[in-house]
Amino acid sequence: MHESLTIGQLSARSGVAPSALRYYERLGLIRAERTGGNQRRYARTELRRVAFVRISQQVGVSLEEIREALDSLPSSRTPTPDDWAALSRAWRDRLDEKIRLLGKLRDDLDGCIGCGCLSLQRCTLYNPEDALAAEGPGARLMLARPGADAASD
Amino acid sequence: MHESLTIGQLSARSGVAPSALRYYERLGLIRAERTGGNQRRYARTELRRVAFVRISQQVGVSLEEIREALDSLPSSRTPTPDDWAALSRAWRDRLDEKIRLLGKLRDDLDGCIGCGCLSLQRCTLYNPEDALAAEGPGARLMLARPGADAASD
DNA sequence: CTGCGACCTGAAGCTCACTTCAACTCAAGG
DNA sequence: CCTTGAGTTGAAGTGAGCTTCAGGTCGCAG
């Protein structure tokens, strides 16, 4: 039907606000051609990119990481289903790992809080290396954990 | 040994920066007594609260929600292991739900991206109601999804 | 009682992921 | 040709979750 989509159309079809789409473009997550009058026109394949971005976000991946992942797609040609499949396999591993960690967290929570030992002992619950999902935003420079020993209470 | 902990000690034992502990106090997540000279002294049980906060954050819960959960603990007496167990049961449900959604996401990703249909159709992958983890920060006022229909490409 | 590190406060700064605004231009219908 | 809605930009604002800073105080060892 239409060769390309306006930003409004892409927004409506993806459910992502135009302002967010422009933001994504600045970050290099999606691309757009321009009309003579400087308006964005999106190839329909961009829809897939937007979908990938949003889905990945739901899994807790930052836009920067998503950008890196998308950079692995061939830029010279339109990505094939196989290209996307490779990408999503990598993402699948991420998901598996995240699920594994959440399951561990749940089991530990049962065993730990239940028994009253909830105090960051060897509880694994509190292992920063496990760096699960949901690393909030904000300045995160003071990461060094100096003496962090465990309490008995 | 010590009846109470200084902020430095609590920080060392919990691995949470003093500035963050003060921030948590402002939000009503933890409490502290004060010395004559206005310095904070923490009961050892606060360690458990801090642990609960950090663990919950890892699961993707906002500090505001964590505060609400902690408010359900008895304030008149020191929470018993049973009190904590009740709290963690509720959290466990959260975890179960989150795990379920991630699993769904993973399966959908396999079926969807793999087959090339990744374009927010009935893919469930793209269902905002599923509101998984990691709802990033930031203004989120433009949530209305007007016409959001699906594309065939 | 003097020094020094740990602590105090409030205000400002920072990152992420956006949104909002103002002032302007484009594009298509009547 | 004119209007009207959709699009453009850069700059500034928002909210979460902190950190950093300046300027001052506490508390303990010597």
Side-chain angles (χ1 to χ4, degrees), chain A residues 12-14 47-48 51 54 59-60 88 92 96 105-106 110 113 116 120 126 134 137 148-151 153, chain B residues 12-14 44 47-48 51 54 59-60 84 88 92 96 105-106 110 113 116 120 126 137 148-151:
Chain A
R13 282 172 182 283
S14 65
L47 213 38
R48 185 165 290 153
R54 297 306 273 212
V59 186
S88 63
R92 199 204 136 98
D96 282 338
L105 193 57
R106 182 191 54 193
D110 278 4
I113 293 199
L120 2 165
Y126 205 62
D149 58 337
D153 184 23
Chain B
R13 281 172 183 283
S14 65
R44 306 179 68 83
L47 214 37
R48 185 166 289 152
R54 298 304 275 212
V59 185
W84 283 106
S88 64
R92 199 204 136 100
D96 282 338
L105 193 57
R106 182 192 55 193
D110 277 5
I113 292 198
L120 2 163
Y126 205 65
D149 59 336

mmCIF file of all heavy atoms in Angstrom, chain A residues 12-14 47-48 51 54 59-60 88 92 96 105-106 110 113 116 120 126 134 137 148-151 153, chain B residues 12-14 44 47-48 51 54 59-60 84 88 92 96 105-106 110 113 116 120 126 137 148-151:
data_model
loop_
_atom_site.group_PDB
_atom_site.id
_atom_site.type_symbol
_atom_site.label_atom_id
_atom_site.label_comp_id
_atom_site.label_asym_id
_atom_site.label_seq_id
_atom_site.Cartn_x
_atom_site.Cartn_y
_atom_site.Cartn_z
ATOM 1 N N ALA A 12 1.525 5.324 15.487
ATOM 2 C CA ALA A 12 0.239 4.656 15.685
ATOM 3 C C ALA A 12 0.397 3.137 15.623
ATOM 4 O O ALA A 12 -0.183 2.405 16.429
ATOM 5 C CB ALA A 12 -0.756 5.125 14.624
ATOM 6 N N ARG A 13 1.206 2.701 14.689
ATOM 7 C CA ARG A 13 1.341 1.256 14.495
ATOM 8 C C ARG A 13 2.205 0.599 15.563
ATOM 9 O O ARG A 13 2.054 -0.585 15.854
ATOM 10 C CB ARG A 13 1.949 0.958 13.118
ATOM 11 C CG ARG A 13 0.930 1.080 12.009
ATOM 12 C CD ARG A 13 1.581 0.967 10.646
ATOM 13 N NE ARG A 13 0.581 1.130 9.609
ATOM 14 C CZ ARG A 13 -0.277 0.190 9.242
ATOM 15 N NH1 ARG A 13 -0.242 -0.985 9.832
ATOM 16 N NH2 ARG A 13 -1.145 0.422 8.289
ATOM 17 N N SER A 14 3.128 1.356 16.114
ATOM 18 C CA SER A 14 4.024 0.760 17.115
ATOM 19 C C SER A 14 3.568 1.061 18.536
ATOM 20 O O SER A 14 3.984 0.386 19.479
ATOM 21 C CB SER A 14 5.442 1.295 16.925
ATOM 22 O OG SER A 14 5.503 2.681 17.191
ATOM 23 N N LEU A 47 9.598 -0.837 11.552
ATOM 24 C CA LEU A 47 8.594 -1.320 12.501
ATOM 25 C C LEU A 47 9.164 -2.476 13.324
ATOM 26 O O LEU A 47 8.948 -2.570 14.538
ATOM 27 C CB LEU A 47 7.382 -1.792 11.697
ATOM 28 C CG LEU A 47 5.978 -1.637 12.268
ATOM 29 C CD1 LEU A 47 5.799 -0.356 13.039
ATOM 30 C CD2 LEU A 47 4.974 -1.719 11.142
ATOM 31 N N ARG A 48 9.896 -3.311 12.656
ATOM 32 C CA ARG A 48 10.486 -4.455 13.345
ATOM 33 C C ARG A 48 11.547 -4.004 14.336
ATOM 34 O O ARG A 48 11.657 -4.536 15.436
ATOM 35 C CB ARG A 48 11.093 -5.406 12.305
ATOM 36 C CG ARG A 48 11.630 -6.670 12.901
ATOM 37 C CD ARG A 48 11.881 -7.702 11.838
ATOM 38 N NE ARG A 48 10.665 -8.228 11.275
ATOM 39 C CZ ARG A 48 10.553 -8.723 10.045
ATOM 40 N NH1 ARG A 48 11.587 -8.705 9.241
ATOM 41 N NH2 ARG A 48 9.405 -9.194 9.626
ATOM 42 N N ALA A 51 9.825 -2.621 17.340
ATOM 43 C CA ALA A 51 9.311 -3.735 18.148
ATOM 44 C C ALA A 51 10.430 -4.352 18.970
ATOM 45 O O ALA A 51 10.282 -4.614 20.168
ATOM 46 C CB ALA A 51 8.681 -4.784 17.241
ATOM 47 N N ARG A 54 11.323 -2.114 21.946
ATOM 48 C CA ARG A 54 10.375 -2.128 23.059
ATOM 49 C C ARG A 54 10.381 -3.450 23.804
ATOM 50 O O ARG A 54 10.292 -3.495 25.025
ATOM 51 C CB ARG A 54 8.960 -1.829 22.542
ATOM 52 C CG ARG A 54 8.850 -0.452 21.937
ATOM 53 C CD ARG A 54 9.317 0.629 22.859
ATOM 54 N NE ARG A 54 8.285 1.112 23.750
ATOM 55 C CZ ARG A 54 8.193 2.348 24.205
ATOM 56 N NH1 ARG A 54 9.102 3.250 23.877
ATOM 57 N NH2 ARG A 54 7.225 2.708 25.017
ATOM 58 N N VAL A 59 12.516 -6.359 28.930
ATOM 59 C CA VAL A 59 13.365 -7.344 29.580
ATOM 60 C C VAL A 59 14.401 -6.654 30.458
ATOM 61 O O VAL A 59 15.145 -7.282 31.187
ATOM 62 C CB VAL A 59 14.044 -8.235 28.526
ATOM 63 C CG1 VAL A 59 14.812 -9.359 29.182
ATOM 64 C CG2 VAL A 59 13.020 -8.791 27.573
ATOM 65 N N GLY A 60 14.422 -5.321 30.378
ATOM 66 C CA GLY A 60 15.317 -4.599 31.262
ATOM 67 C C GLY A 60 16.650 -4.233 30.633
ATOM 68 O O GLY A 60 17.621 -3.974 31.321
ATOM 69 N N SER A 88 17.780 -12.588 18.098
ATOM 70 C CA SER A 88 16.848 -12.991 19.147
ATOM 71 C C SER A 88 17.344 -14.209 19.896
ATOM 72 O O SER A 88 16.976 -14.422 21.044
ATOM 73 C CB SER A 88 15.456 -13.243 18.565
ATOM 74 O OG SER A 88 15.471 -14.303 17.661
ATOM 75 N N ARG A 92 17.508 -14.421 23.734
ATOM 76 C CA ARG A 92 16.898 -15.546 24.425
ATOM 77 C C ARG A 92 17.783 -16.037 25.550
ATOM 78 O O ARG A 92 17.340 -16.353 26.641
ATOM 79 C CB ARG A 92 16.661 -16.695 23.432
ATOM 80 C CG ARG A 92 15.652 -17.699 23.905
ATOM 81 C CD ARG A 92 15.852 -19.052 23.253
ATOM 82 N NE ARG A 92 15.740 -20.072 24.278
ATOM 83 C CZ ARG A 92 14.630 -20.777 24.507
ATOM 84 N NH1 ARG A 92 13.583 -20.630 23.746
ATOM 85 N NH2 ARG A 92 14.577 -21.634 25.496
ATOM 86 N N ASP A 96 16.869 -16.371 29.406
ATOM 87 C CA ASP A 96 17.056 -17.595 30.176
ATOM 88 C C ASP A 96 17.821 -17.304 31.455
ATOM 89 O O ASP A 96 17.453 -17.763 32.536
ATOM 90 C CB ASP A 96 17.830 -18.629 29.340
ATOM 91 C CG ASP A 96 16.937 -19.306 28.322
ATOM 92 O OD1 ASP A 96 15.712 -19.297 28.531
ATOM 93 O OD2 ASP A 96 17.449 -19.830 27.330
ATOM 94 N N LEU A 105 16.375 -16.233 43.103
ATOM 95 C CA LEU A 105 15.956 -15.200 44.042
ATOM 96 C C LEU A 105 14.730 -15.659 44.807
ATOM 97 O O LEU A 105 14.642 -15.531 46.030
ATOM 98 C CB LEU A 105 15.627 -13.935 43.250
ATOM 99 C CG LEU A 105 15.448 -12.640 44.025
ATOM 100 C CD1 LEU A 105 16.696 -12.347 44.837
ATOM 101 C CD2 LEU A 105 15.162 -11.499 43.075
ATOM 102 N N ARG A 106 13.781 -16.216 44.097
ATOM 103 C CA ARG A 106 12.545 -16.653 44.731
ATOM 104 C C ARG A 106 12.800 -17.747 45.757
ATOM 105 O O ARG A 106 12.318 -17.674 46.890
ATOM 106 C CB ARG A 106 11.574 -17.162 43.668
ATOM 107 C CG ARG A 106 10.241 -17.590 44.233
ATOM 108 C CD ARG A 106 9.458 -18.331 43.174
ATOM 109 N NE ARG A 106 10.239 -19.434 42.635
ATOM 110 C CZ ARG A 106 9.924 -20.104 41.538
ATOM 111 N NH1 ARG A 106 8.856 -19.769 40.854
ATOM 112 N NH2 ARG A 106 10.674 -21.104 41.121
ATOM 113 N N ASP A 110 12.364 -17.549 49.872
ATOM 114 C CA ASP A 110 11.625 -18.510 50.687
ATOM 115 C C ASP A 110 12.462 -19.001 51.858
ATOM 116 O O ASP A 110 12.061 -18.937 53.013
ATOM 117 C CB ASP A 110 11.234 -19.729 49.839
ATOM 118 C CG ASP A 110 9.985 -19.462 49.034
ATOM 119 O OD1 ASP A 110 9.493 -18.330 49.097
ATOM 120 O OD2 ASP A 110 9.515 -20.386 48.356
ATOM 121 N N ILE A 113 14.230 -15.349 54.079
ATOM 122 C CA ILE A 113 13.372 -14.489 54.891
ATOM 123 C C ILE A 113 12.554 -15.356 55.821
ATOM 124 O O ILE A 113 12.397 -15.063 56.991
ATOM 125 C CB ILE A 113 12.432 -13.634 54.021
ATOM 126 C CG1 ILE A 113 13.237 -12.623 53.228
ATOM 127 C CG2 ILE A 113 11.430 -12.909 54.901
ATOM 128 C CD1 ILE A 113 12.438 -11.465 52.699
ATOM 129 N N GLY A 116 14.277 -16.180 58.836
ATOM 130 C CA GLY A 116 14.674 -15.041 59.644
ATOM 131 C C GLY A 116 16.115 -14.602 59.451
ATOM 132 O O GLY A 116 16.590 -13.714 60.118
ATOM 133 N N LEU A 120 21.665 -10.548 54.385
ATOM 134 C CA LEU A 120 22.769 -10.481 53.427
ATOM 135 C C LEU A 120 23.971 -11.349 53.779
ATOM 136 O O LEU A 120 25.085 -10.976 53.545
ATOM 137 C CB LEU A 120 23.251 -9.050 53.225
ATOM 138 C CG LEU A 120 22.639 -7.907 53.998
ATOM 139 C CD1 LEU A 120 23.535 -6.734 53.876
ATOM 140 C CD2 LEU A 120 21.258 -7.601 53.481
ATOM 141 N N TYR A 126 22.042 -11.405 47.957
ATOM 142 C CA TYR A 126 22.563 -10.062 47.989
ATOM 143 C C TYR A 126 23.840 -9.895 47.215
ATOM 144 O O TYR A 126 24.632 -9.022 47.445
ATOM 145 C CB TYR A 126 22.768 -9.655 49.433
ATOM 146 C CG TYR A 126 22.703 -8.186 49.550
ATOM 147 C CD1 TYR A 126 21.533 -7.531 49.208
ATOM 148 C CD2 TYR A 126 23.799 -7.451 49.931
ATOM 149 C CE1 TYR A 126 21.470 -6.171 49.263
ATOM 150 C CE2 TYR A 126 23.731 -6.096 49.985
ATOM 151 C CZ TYR A 126 22.578 -5.467 49.648
ATOM 152 O OH TYR A 126 22.510 -4.100 49.685
ATOM 153 N N ALA A 134 16.516 -4.589 36.058
ATOM 154 C CA ALA A 134 16.090 -3.403 36.791
ATOM 155 C C ALA A 134 17.181 -2.644 37.527
ATOM 156 O O ALA A 134 16.995 -2.237 38.651
ATOM 157 C CB ALA A 134 15.014 -3.799 37.788
ATOM 158 N N PRO A 137 18.090 3.832 37.081
ATOM 159 C CA PRO A 137 18.918 4.832 36.423
ATOM 160 C C PRO A 137 19.702 5.588 37.488
ATOM 161 O O PRO A 137 19.754 5.171 38.627
ATOM 162 C CB PRO A 137 17.890 5.752 35.788
ATOM 163 C CG PRO A 137 16.742 5.678 36.735
ATOM 164 C CD PRO A 137 16.764 4.313 37.343
ATOM 165 N N ALA A 148 31.983 -4.508 53.081
ATOM 166 C CA ALA A 148 30.717 -5.254 53.094
ATOM 167 C C ALA A 148 30.755 -6.670 53.681
ATOM 168 O O ALA A 148 30.646 -7.653 52.964
ATOM 169 C CB ALA A 148 30.136 -5.300 51.689
ATOM 170 N N ASP A 149 30.864 -6.784 54.948
ATOM 171 C CA ASP A 149 30.792 -8.091 55.580
ATOM 172 C C ASP A 149 29.347 -8.394 55.949
ATOM 173 O O ASP A 149 28.452 -7.602 55.693
ATOM 174 C CB ASP A 149 31.691 -8.137 56.825
ATOM 175 C CG ASP A 149 31.321 -7.087 57.840
ATOM 176 O OD1 ASP A 149 30.692 -6.072 57.425
ATOM 177 O OD2 ASP A 149 31.617 -7.246 59.002
ATOM 178 N N ALA A 150 29.127 -9.517 56.539
ATOM 179 C CA ALA A 150 27.747 -9.902 56.827
ATOM 180 C C ALA A 150 27.419 -9.738 58.305
ATOM 181 O O ALA A 150 28.286 -9.845 59.172
ATOM 182 C CB ALA A 150 27.530 -11.343 56.428
ATOM 183 N N ALA A 151 26.185 -9.470 58.553
ATOM 184 C CA ALA A 151 25.753 -9.311 59.935
ATOM 185 C C ALA A 151 25.079 -10.597 60.400
ATOM 186 O O ALA A 151 24.656 -11.412 59.589
ATOM 187 C CB ALA A 151 24.786 -8.163 60.056
ATOM 188 N N ASP A 153 22.530 -10.403 62.453
ATOM 189 C CA ASP A 153 21.149 -10.078 62.818
ATOM 190 C C ASP A 153 20.401 -9.373 61.718
ATOM 191 O O ASP A 153 20.746 -8.869 60.808
ATOM 192 C CB ASP A 153 21.114 -9.127 64.017
ATOM 193 C CG ASP A 153 19.688 -8.872 64.463
ATOM 194 O OD1 ASP A 153 18.826 -9.720 64.170
ATOM 195 O OD2 ASP A 153 19.441 -7.835 65.080
ATOM 196 N N ALA B 12 28.756 -0.193 55.511
ATOM 197 C CA ALA B 12 29.742 -1.239 55.272
ATOM 198 C C ALA B 12 29.088 -2.620 55.283
ATOM 199 O O ALA B 12 29.380 -3.462 54.438
ATOM 200 C CB ALA B 12 30.836 -1.174 56.331
ATOM 201 N N ARG B 13 28.171 -2.805 56.220
ATOM 202 C CA ARG B 13 27.561 -4.123 56.357
ATOM 203 C C ARG B 13 26.517 -4.414 55.280
ATOM 204 O O ARG B 13 26.262 -5.574 54.950
ATOM 205 C CB ARG B 13 26.907 -4.256 57.735
ATOM 206 C CG ARG B 13 27.915 -4.540 58.820
ATOM 207 C CD ARG B 13 27.293 -4.489 60.197
ATOM 208 N NE ARG B 13 28.297 -4.691 61.229
ATOM 209 C CZ ARG B 13 28.802 -5.885 61.544
ATOM 210 N NH1 ARG B 13 28.387 -6.958 60.931
ATOM 211 N NH2 ARG B 13 29.719 -5.990 62.489
ATOM 212 N N SER B 14 25.922 -3.382 54.769
ATOM 213 C CA SER B 14 24.868 -3.599 53.776
ATOM 214 C C SER B 14 25.382 -3.415 52.349
ATOM 215 O O SER B 14 24.762 -3.859 51.391
ATOM 216 C CB SER B 14 23.705 -2.637 54.016
ATOM 217 O OG SER B 14 24.110 -1.298 53.799
ATOM 218 N N ARG B 44 19.933 -2.835 64.900
ATOM 219 C CA ARG B 44 20.456 -3.868 64.004
ATOM 220 C C ARG B 44 19.368 -4.406 63.077
ATOM 221 O O ARG B 44 19.669 -4.902 61.993
ATOM 222 C CB ARG B 44 21.042 -5.007 64.833
ATOM 223 C CG ARG B 44 22.071 -4.527 65.848
ATOM 224 C CD ARG B 44 22.613 -5.694 66.655
ATOM 225 N NE ARG B 44 23.418 -6.574 65.805
ATOM 226 C CZ ARG B 44 24.682 -6.343 65.513
ATOM 227 N NH1 ARG B 44 25.278 -5.277 65.983
ATOM 228 N NH2 ARG B 44 25.350 -7.171 64.751
ATOM 229 N N LEU B 47 19.130 -3.458 59.368
ATOM 230 C CA LEU B 47 19.898 -4.212 58.385
ATOM 231 C C LEU B 47 18.968 -5.067 57.531
ATOM 232 O O LEU B 47 19.117 -5.178 56.316
ATOM 233 C CB LEU B 47 20.890 -5.105 59.142
ATOM 234 C CG LEU B 47 22.261 -5.404 58.569
ATOM 235 C CD1 LEU B 47 22.856 -4.216 57.857
ATOM 236 C CD2 LEU B 47 23.191 -5.866 59.682
ATOM 237 N N ARG B 48 17.998 -5.651 58.192
ATOM 238 C CA ARG B 48 17.053 -6.500 57.489
ATOM 239 C C ARG B 48 16.192 -5.683 56.529
ATOM 240 O O ARG B 48 15.896 -6.107 55.412
ATOM 241 C CB ARG B 48 16.171 -7.226 58.501
ATOM 242 C CG ARG B 48 15.237 -8.215 57.883
ATOM 243 C CD ARG B 48 14.640 -9.131 58.923
ATOM 244 N NE ARG B 48 15.623 -10.075 59.442
ATOM 245 C CZ ARG B 48 15.571 -10.602 60.665
ATOM 246 N NH1 ARG B 48 14.621 -10.256 61.493
ATOM 247 N NH2 ARG B 48 16.483 -11.463 61.051
ATOM 248 N N ALA B 51 18.232 -4.830 53.534
ATOM 249 C CA ALA B 51 18.345 -6.012 52.679
ATOM 250 C C ALA B 51 17.073 -6.188 51.856
ATOM 251 O O ALA B 51 17.121 -6.430 50.647
ATOM 252 C CB ALA B 51 18.597 -7.248 53.536
ATOM 253 N N ARG B 54 16.977 -3.663 48.964
ATOM 254 C CA ARG B 54 17.858 -3.934 47.841
ATOM 255 C C ARG B 54 17.406 -5.146 47.044
ATOM 256 O O ARG B 54 17.477 -5.168 45.812
ATOM 257 C CB ARG B 54 19.293 -4.138 48.320
ATOM 258 C CG ARG B 54 19.849 -2.906 48.990
ATOM 259 C CD ARG B 54 19.775 -1.681 48.113
ATOM 260 N NE ARG B 54 20.910 -1.562 47.204
ATOM 261 C CZ ARG B 54 21.427 -0.428 46.797
ATOM 262 N NH1 ARG B 54 20.889 0.721 47.175
ATOM 263 N NH2 ARG B 54 22.441 -0.386 45.976
ATOM 264 N N VAL B 59 14.396 -6.960 41.872
ATOM 265 C CA VAL B 59 13.256 -7.571 41.198
ATOM 266 C C VAL B 59 12.511 -6.529 40.367
ATOM 267 O O VAL B 59 11.597 -6.843 39.635
ATOM 268 C CB VAL B 59 12.320 -8.214 42.237
ATOM 269 C CG1 VAL B 59 11.200 -8.961 41.574
ATOM 270 C CG2 VAL B 59 13.102 -9.143 43.140
ATOM 271 N N GLY B 60 12.931 -5.280 40.510
ATOM 272 C CA GLY B 60 12.314 -4.260 39.678
ATOM 273 C C GLY B 60 11.176 -3.510 40.344
ATOM 274 O O GLY B 60 10.350 -2.909 39.665
ATOM 275 N N TRP B 84 7.958 -10.866 58.629
ATOM 276 C CA TRP B 84 8.770 -10.839 57.425
ATOM 277 C C TRP B 84 8.343 -11.915 56.443
ATOM 278 O O TRP B 84 8.338 -11.701 55.236
ATOM 279 C CB TRP B 84 10.238 -11.030 57.779
ATOM 280 C CG TRP B 84 10.845 -9.777 58.342
ATOM 281 C CD1 TRP B 84 11.169 -9.537 59.638
ATOM 282 C CD2 TRP B 84 11.194 -8.595 57.620
ATOM 283 N NE1 TRP B 84 11.691 -8.276 59.769
ATOM 284 C CE2 TRP B 84 11.709 -7.677 58.546
ATOM 285 C CE3 TRP B 84 11.111 -8.224 56.278
ATOM 286 C CZ2 TRP B 84 12.142 -6.409 58.177
ATOM 287 C CZ3 TRP B 84 11.543 -6.966 55.912
ATOM 288 C CH2 TRP B 84 12.045 -6.060 56.858
ATOM 289 N N SER B 88 7.358 -11.526 52.547
ATOM 290 C CA SER B 88 8.090 -12.177 51.467
ATOM 291 C C SER B 88 7.190 -13.120 50.678
ATOM 292 O O SER B 88 7.442 -13.397 49.515
ATOM 293 C CB SER B 88 9.322 -12.906 52.005
ATOM 294 O OG SER B 88 8.949 -13.956 52.866
ATOM 295 N N ARG B 92 6.957 -13.075 46.874
ATOM 296 C CA ARG B 92 7.148 -14.309 46.125
ATOM 297 C C ARG B 92 6.139 -14.409 44.989
ATOM 298 O O ARG B 92 6.458 -14.826 43.885
ATOM 299 C CB ARG B 92 6.971 -15.503 47.067
ATOM 300 C CG ARG B 92 7.595 -16.783 46.519
ATOM 301 C CD ARG B 92 6.947 -18.010 47.116
ATOM 302 N NE ARG B 92 6.732 -18.952 46.035
ATOM 303 C CZ ARG B 92 7.534 -19.985 45.781
ATOM 304 N NH1 ARG B 92 8.544 -20.231 46.561
ATOM 305 N NH2 ARG B 92 7.303 -20.781 44.758
ATOM 306 N N ASP B 96 6.900 -14.878 41.107
ATOM 307 C CA ASP B 96 6.310 -15.927 40.279
ATOM 308 C C ASP B 96 5.703 -15.324 39.026
ATOM 309 O O ASP B 96 5.893 -15.835 37.918
ATOM 310 C CB ASP B 96 5.226 -16.672 41.079
ATOM 311 C CG ASP B 96 5.835 -17.665 42.065
ATOM 312 O OD1 ASP B 96 6.995 -18.062 41.847
ATOM 313 O OD2 ASP B 96 5.167 -18.017 43.040
ATOM 314 N N LEU B 105 7.553 -14.317 27.418
ATOM 315 C CA LEU B 105 8.299 -13.458 26.515
ATOM 316 C C LEU B 105 9.311 -14.268 25.716
ATOM 317 O O LEU B 105 9.428 -14.126 24.505
ATOM 318 C CB LEU B 105 9.028 -12.398 27.355
ATOM 319 C CG LEU B 105 9.631 -11.207 26.626
ATOM 320 C CD1 LEU B 105 8.565 -10.476 25.841
ATOM 321 C CD2 LEU B 105 10.286 -10.266 27.617
ATOM 322 N N ARG B 106 10.004 -15.151 26.413
ATOM 323 C CA ARG B 106 11.021 -15.956 25.753
ATOM 324 C C ARG B 106 10.413 -16.856 24.684
ATOM 325 O O ARG B 106 10.896 -16.930 23.559
ATOM 326 C CB ARG B 106 11.752 -16.803 26.787
ATOM 327 C CG ARG B 106 12.858 -17.648 26.195
ATOM 328 C CD ARG B 106 13.334 -18.654 27.203
ATOM 329 N NE ARG B 106 12.216 -19.452 27.704
ATOM 330 C CZ ARG B 106 12.273 -20.239 28.757
ATOM 331 N NH1 ARG B 106 13.382 -20.304 29.452
ATOM 332 N NH2 ARG B 106 11.232 -20.936 29.135
ATOM 333 N N ASP B 110 10.944 -16.666 20.569
ATOM 334 C CA ASP B 110 11.314 -17.793 19.724
ATOM 335 C C ASP B 110 10.372 -17.920 18.544
ATOM 336 O O ASP B 110 10.787 -17.978 17.399
ATOM 337 C CB ASP B 110 11.244 -19.095 20.535
ATOM 338 C CG ASP B 110 12.507 -19.316 21.341
ATOM 339 O OD1 ASP B 110 13.359 -18.416 21.319
ATOM 340 O OD2 ASP B 110 12.618 -20.359 21.981
ATOM 341 N N ILE B 113 9.983 -13.793 16.495
ATOM 342 C CA ILE B 113 11.092 -13.239 15.726
ATOM 343 C C ILE B 113 11.586 -14.293 14.763
ATOM 344 O O ILE B 113 11.876 -14.025 13.617
ATOM 345 C CB ILE B 113 12.249 -12.792 16.634
ATOM 346 C CG1 ILE B 113 11.815 -11.592 17.466
ATOM 347 C CG2 ILE B 113 13.450 -12.408 15.792
ATOM 348 C CD1 ILE B 113 12.967 -10.816 18.057
ATOM 349 N N GLY B 116 9.776 -14.385 11.673
ATOM 350 C CA GLY B 116 9.777 -13.161 10.886
ATOM 351 C C GLY B 116 8.560 -12.290 11.080
ATOM 352 O O GLY B 116 8.398 -11.279 10.420
ATOM 353 N N LEU B 120 4.661 -6.714 16.215
ATOM 354 C CA LEU B 120 3.635 -6.301 17.161
ATOM 355 C C LEU B 120 2.227 -6.684 16.775
ATOM 356 O O LEU B 120 1.292 -5.941 17.006
ATOM 357 C CB LEU B 120 3.661 -4.792 17.408
ATOM 358 C CG LEU B 120 4.642 -3.898 16.669
ATOM 359 C CD1 LEU B 120 4.175 -2.485 16.797
ATOM 360 C CD2 LEU B 120 6.026 -4.080 17.215
ATOM 361 N N TYR B 126 3.935 -7.702 22.661
ATOM 362 C CA TYR B 126 3.869 -6.259 22.637
ATOM 363 C C TYR B 126 2.708 -5.713 23.413
ATOM 364 O O TYR B 126 2.278 -4.604 23.231
ATOM 365 C CB TYR B 126 3.822 -5.775 21.206
ATOM 366 C CG TYR B 126 4.353 -4.403 21.129
ATOM 367 C CD1 TYR B 126 5.687 -4.177 21.436
ATOM 368 C CD2 TYR B 126 3.538 -3.331 20.823
ATOM 369 C CE1 TYR B 126 6.196 -2.911 21.422
ATOM 370 C CE2 TYR B 126 4.050 -2.067 20.804
ATOM 371 C CZ TYR B 126 5.374 -1.867 21.096
ATOM 372 O OH TYR B 126 5.873 -0.601 21.087
ATOM 373 N N PRO B 137 12.510 4.858 34.096
ATOM 374 C CA PRO B 137 12.071 6.066 34.798
ATOM 375 C C PRO B 137 11.570 7.076 33.788
ATOM 376 O O PRO B 137 11.365 6.750 32.627
ATOM 377 C CB PRO B 137 13.370 6.557 35.419
ATOM 378 C CG PRO B 137 14.405 6.165 34.409
ATOM 379 C CD PRO B 137 13.922 4.878 33.789
ATOM 380 N N ALA B 148 -3.131 2.254 17.626
ATOM 381 C CA ALA B 148 -2.179 1.143 17.575
ATOM 382 C C ALA B 148 -2.654 -0.147 16.911
ATOM 383 O O ALA B 148 -2.915 -1.136 17.562
ATOM 384 C CB ALA B 148 -1.682 0.822 18.986
ATOM 385 N N ASP B 149 -2.739 -0.151 15.650
ATOM 386 C CA ASP B 149 -3.107 -1.380 14.958
ATOM 387 C C ASP B 149 -1.843 -2.116 14.547
ATOM 388 O O ASP B 149 -0.744 -1.716 14.876
ATOM 389 C CB ASP B 149 -3.969 -1.061 13.732
ATOM 390 C CG ASP B 149 -3.239 -0.149 12.765
ATOM 391 O OD1 ASP B 149 -2.325 0.578 13.203
ATOM 392 O OD2 ASP B 149 -3.580 -0.159 11.585
ATOM 393 N N ALA B 150 -1.989 -3.212 13.897
ATOM 394 C CA ALA B 150 -0.824 -4.019 13.583
ATOM 395 C C ALA B 150 -0.425 -3.912 12.117
ATOM 396 O O ALA B 150 -1.251 -3.661 11.245
ATOM 397 C CB ALA B 150 -1.104 -5.475 13.923
ATOM 398 N N ALA B 151 0.815 -4.097 11.875
ATOM 399 C CA ALA B 151 1.312 -4.058 10.505
ATOM 400 C C ALA B 151 1.510 -5.477 10.002
ATOM 401 O O ALA B 151 1.608 -6.409 10.785
ATOM 402 C CB ALA B 151 2.655 -3.338 10.475
#
